[in-house]
Amino acid sequence: MPHLRMILIALTLLAAACGGDGVATPTDTDTNTPDVDPDADTDTTPDADADPDLSLTLTGGEESPYVINETEGVLNFEAACAPEECVIARCTIGVANEAPRLLTSCDGTIELDTTLLDREGTWTLTAEAEFGLERKSASRTFEVLYAFEAGLEGLSPGESYTYSHPPELTPFCTRADTCTIEHRCEDESGTTIQCEDLAIPAAPSVTIVLTACATNTELEHCLAEQRYTFIYESPTWVDVSAGEQHTCGILDDGTLWCWGSNGDGRLGDGSSTPRSQPTRVAGDGVWTQVSAGGLHTCGIKDDGSLWCWGDNATNQVSTEPGNLARYSTPHRIGTNTNWSTVTTGSEHSCALQTDGALFCWGYNAYQQLGPGISTQGRVRINSSGTTIDTFVAVAAGDAHTCAVTAEGANGWCWGNYSSGQLNGGTSGDSAPRPVGLPVSGANYTTTTIAAGGAHSCAFVSSDFNPGMYCWGGGTHGGSGQVGHDDPPYVRGILNLSSINIITTGSEHTCAIAANEAYCWGDNSRGQLGFDLTFPTNAISTADPTLITAPREDWTAIAAGHEHTCGIAGGIMRCWGRNQVGQLGDPAVANQTSTPTPVAWPYTP
């Protein structure tokens, strides 16, 4: 016992010496759980003073391929790194198979324009970031294609277009020689039909399907399929002029067509072949007026330019030095763009400008060009001793000319006077002379004037004796073309007090009043548009007679040498002599008195 007591005292003293509280420390009998020092640091959170890791992000390029403007296109990317003290040290941009180029700046927004993206292809943008000794890089690979346009000139994809003659379709591609355009045609049921060189095949409705692709890129680059639909409709005519043996007309789309004799190229299609159906006058542009003369033709386009073609033996087409004897396609007259009206006689031409200046040129044996100063062979009409120098209307006859003055709206005529076609008188000279009352009266307004073979007509508006007046035709009145029984004097035409249009041929006259057409004079070739029944076998009449086939909707009419053409309801009809196809229908024999629709050459 003394020994045991001594051992316990010794253990107690040893525990006190080690800081114990005098209580025995129990023995850990759990061998599976490691002993934990109660004074050990158990916080596992990283030390705030330790260096963080470097991160780098590069965004953009997700919408590849990019189609950008070749000269103005821009792509934006974003480069960002962390922590805050990091820097984006450098960026490079490179295209496949070439060494990358260093960008001057790339922190934050990276803007790439076409000075960098200078070609189509696969590009790689690389950004490199630094933080202390750490380095990281990130890359984006994307494809670049240059935008381009292609299609049919002047037309919009997805639209429908009506046509009465095959349109001249011209494909275009802004990539010039590095583009292919292919097409196919479908009918209205969607069935593929044959079409070559963008020529519309014979079908009531045709859709041209166009595909355009770039050819100089490794990547496929094609535009979306384009569809253009064309629907045929009968032509709508808006203007007509009848010459000696040919006729010309303008459609509502501004195209100009002529038919009949093509001697000296008067049809303007580049040949001298006669045409019994309309043939399109060569060249482009929109025509607003046409005048068919003896062996030549003139017209005005919507830009105010003046053109003539056909026989030029007496300079009735062109007065320029070194001009040709004939022109088979339109020849521009000067450079002016202010022409408003043109008229052609047998061998001379006259035209008005918007400021009222009147010029005439061509054959002048009867002084039909009038007095005035000649400029480049064209006479600017200015009658000495008068104020006659500006005009609002003009008409050229076979060998005389008539015009309406801007001041007072009076009718004056000059040139050949032998049949009284100037003012009813058959003596005097060829100088300009007033037609006389009421056509040249102070209290009257002449609104329309026409000059034919050897007679003239005008419409006068006034509170007293308004109406249509004609004069000339010789002392016997020719074939009744003056419409009254007192030739060659200026007399009114009975029952025609409201006239829209007057036209004078060689020996017949026609007019439109309230959309109804009347003709009178020589009918030996059926040029009046009806058969005379009284007296028996009559071939002429001085009585204005209504055309009844059709009766209404006449909007234009033109009397030629021995034929007439007019427009009713947009349909062109011709009648009279047809020995060279001037009626426009090869089925008509030498002549007909029935207004016959022109045979349109394009009918799907």
Side-chain angles (χ1 to χ4, degrees), residues 296-574:
H296 72 296
T297 311
C298 292
I300 295 176
K301 294 184 179 182
D302 65 348
D303 61 0
S305 59
L306 174 62
W307 305 73
C308 294
W309 56 97
D311 179 41
N312 195 41
T314 59
N315 292 335
Q316 64 266 53
V317 169
S318 172
T319 61
E320 300 166 359
N323 57 25
L324 303 179
R326 62 189 59 84
Y327 292 85
S328 61
T329 58
H331 173 73
R332 185 166 183 178
I333 308 303
T335 59
N336 294 72
T337 56
N338 63 336
W339 298 101
S340 61
T341 303
V342 65
T343 178
T344 51
S346 179
E347 295 181 276
H348 76 293
S349 307
C350 296
L352 270 174
Q353 294 182 338
T354 53
D355 60 0
L358 174 58
F359 294 84
C360 294
W361 61 99
Y363 191 56
N364 198 35
Y366 297 96
Q367 303 302 305
Q368 58 263 54
L369 303 187
I373 298 174
S374 178
T375 303
Q376 295 181 337
R378 295 186 293 274
V379 177
R380 165 72 190 275
I381 309 303
N382 187 348
S383 183
S384 60
T386 72
T387 57
I388 305 173
D389 59 358
T390 54
F391 301 83
V392 294
V394 62
D398 274 7
H400 74 291
T401 306
C402 294
V404 178
T405 61
E407 181 179 343
N410 293 321
W412 287 64
C413 296
W414 55 91
N416 188 348
Y417 58 86
S418 61
S419 296
Q421 58 264 58
L422 301 188
N423 69 340
T426 56
S427 61
D429 57 32
S430 298
R433 63 178 76 177
V435 174
L437 290 175
V439 181
S440 300
N443 297 318
Y444 298 85
T445 299
T446 298
T447 60
T448 303
I449 202 160
H455 72 293
S456 306
C457 296
F459 182 78
V460 176
S461 174
S462 73
D463 295 331
F464 180 73
N465 286 338
M468 180 173 175
Y469 294 80
C470 292
W471 57 97
T475 56
H476 298 290
S479 299
Q481 62 264 38
V482 293
H484 57 78
D485 57 4
D486 195 19
Y489 304 111
V490 180
R491 297 291 185 264
I493 310 298
L494 298 179
N495 303 320
L496 289 180
S497 59
S498 178
I499 295 293
N500 305 104
I501 295 173
I502 302 172
T503 179
T504 47
S506 289
E507 292 191 41
H508 73 293
T509 305
C510 297
I512 294 178
N515 295 326
E516 294 182 331
Y518 298 81
C519 290
W520 58 97
D522 180 27
N523 198 38
S524 59
R525 301 293 184 178
Q527 57 263 54
L528 300 188
F530 46 80
D531 290 324
L532 295 173
T533 59
F534 183 83
T536 304
N537 299 323
I539 59 172
S540 66
T541 179
D543 296 324
T545 305
L546 180 68
I547 294 176
T548 59
R551 182 185 179 112
E552 300 176 337
D553 296 328
W554 291 95
T555 56
I557 196 165
H561 177 54
E562 293 180 307
H563 76 291
T564 309
C565 292
I567 301 170
I571 299 174
M572 178 78 74
R573 290 177 168 85
C574 294

Side-chain angles (χ1 to χ4, degrees), residues 97-149:
N97 302 321
E98 290 190 11
R101 289 170 278 178
L102 184 66
L103 301 182
T104 57
S105 174
C106 65
D107 193 8
T109 299
I110 304 173
E111 187 176 273
L112 304 177
D113 59 22
T114 52
T115 59
L116 295 168
L117 306 174
D118 56 4
R119 71 199 69 183
E120 296 173 301
T122 302
W123 291 81
T124 299
L125 173 65
T126 301
E128 298 179 6
E130 297 179 356
F131 178 63
L133 298 178
E134 286 191 78
R135 304 286 186 273
K136 281 199 173 182
S137 64
S139 298
R140 284 285 181 179
T141 297
F142 55 94
E143 296 172 343
V144 170
L145 297 171
Y146 289 155
F148 70 98
E149 295 180 353

Side-chain angles (χ1 to χ4, degrees), residues 141-195:
T141 297
F142 55 94
E143 296 172 343
V144 170
L145 297 171
Y146 289 155
F148 70 98
E149 295 180 353
L152 297 179
E153 289 185 0
L155 303 180
S156 299
E159 297 293 330
S160 295
Y161 299 90
T162 58
Y163 75 98
S164 55
H165 55 93
E168 296 177 358
L169 302 178
T170 304
F172 75 93
C173 182
T174 56
R175 293 183 71 97
D177 297 331
T178 60
C179 178
T180 60
I181 296 179
E182 297 180 351
H183 75 279
R184 69 177 190 276
C185 292
E186 299 176 354
D187 62 17
E188 54 190 340
S189 68
T191 303
T192 299
I193 55 179
Q194 184 70 24
C195 62

Side-chain angles (χ1 to χ4, degrees), residues 56-282:
L56 171 64
T57 59
L58 181 60
T59 58
E62 294 86 356
E63 299 178 6
S64 176
Y66 290 97
V67 180
I68 63 174
N69 186 287
E70 186 173 357
T71 59
E72 301 175 353
V74 174
L75 296 182
N76 291 316
F77 292 78
E78 295 287 337
C81 66
E84 185 177 349
E85 293 82 2
C86 72
V87 294
I88 299 177
R90 65 194 299 267
C91 291
T92 59
I93 183 70
V95 69
N97 302 321
E98 290 190 11
R101 289 170 278 178
L102 184 66
L103 301 182
T104 57
S105 174
C106 65
D107 193 8
T109 299
I110 304 173
E111 187 176 273
L112 304 177
D113 59 22
T114 52
T115 59
L116 295 168
L117 306 174
D118 56 4
R119 71 199 69 183
E120 296 173 301
T122 302
W123 291 81
T124 299
L125 173 65
T126 301
E128 298 179 6
E130 297 179 356
F131 178 63
L133 298 178
E134 286 191 78
R135 304 286 186 273
K136 281 199 173 182
S137 64
S139 298
R140 284 285 181 179
T141 297
F142 55 94
E143 296 172 343
V144 170
L145 297 171
Y146 289 155
F148 70 98
E149 295 180 353
L152 297 179
E153 289 185 0
L155 303 180
S156 299
E159 297 293 330
S160 295
Y161 299 90
T162 58
Y163 75 98
S164 55
H165 55 93
E168 296 177 358
L169 302 178
T170 304
F172 75 93
C173 182
T174 56
R175 293 183 71 97
D177 297 331
T178 60
C179 178
T180 60
I181 296 179
E182 297 180 351
H183 75 279
R184 69 177 190 276
C185 292
E186 299 176 354
D187 62 17
E188 54 190 340
S189 68
T191 303
T192 299
I193 55 179
Q194 184 70 24
C195 62
E196 298 180 0
D197 301 326
L198 288 174
I200 295 180
S205 177
V206 176
T207 296
I208 294 180
V209 184
L210 210 68
T211 303
C213 295
T215 59
N216 63 338
T217 62
E218 296 179 0
L219 308 173
E220 182 177 306
H221 188 18
C222 296
L223 298 182
E225 189 176 81
Q226 300 180 18
R227 303 177 70 86
Y228 304 82
T229 299
F230 299 88
I231 302 171
Y232 177 82
E233 65 176 17
S234 299
T236 299
W237 296 94
V238 296
D239 191 25
V240 61
S241 181
E244 182 175 335
Q245 292 181 331
H246 73 294
T247 309
C248 295
I250 299 176
L251 292 182
D252 58 355
D253 63 1
T255 55
L256 176 57
W257 303 74
C258 295
W259 55 97
S261 173
N262 201 14
D264 298 299
R266 74 192 79 172
L267 301 186
D269 65 351
S271 76
S272 58
T273 304
R275 310 287 183 179
S276 59
Q277 290 179 274
T279 182
R280 186 172 177 179
V281 173

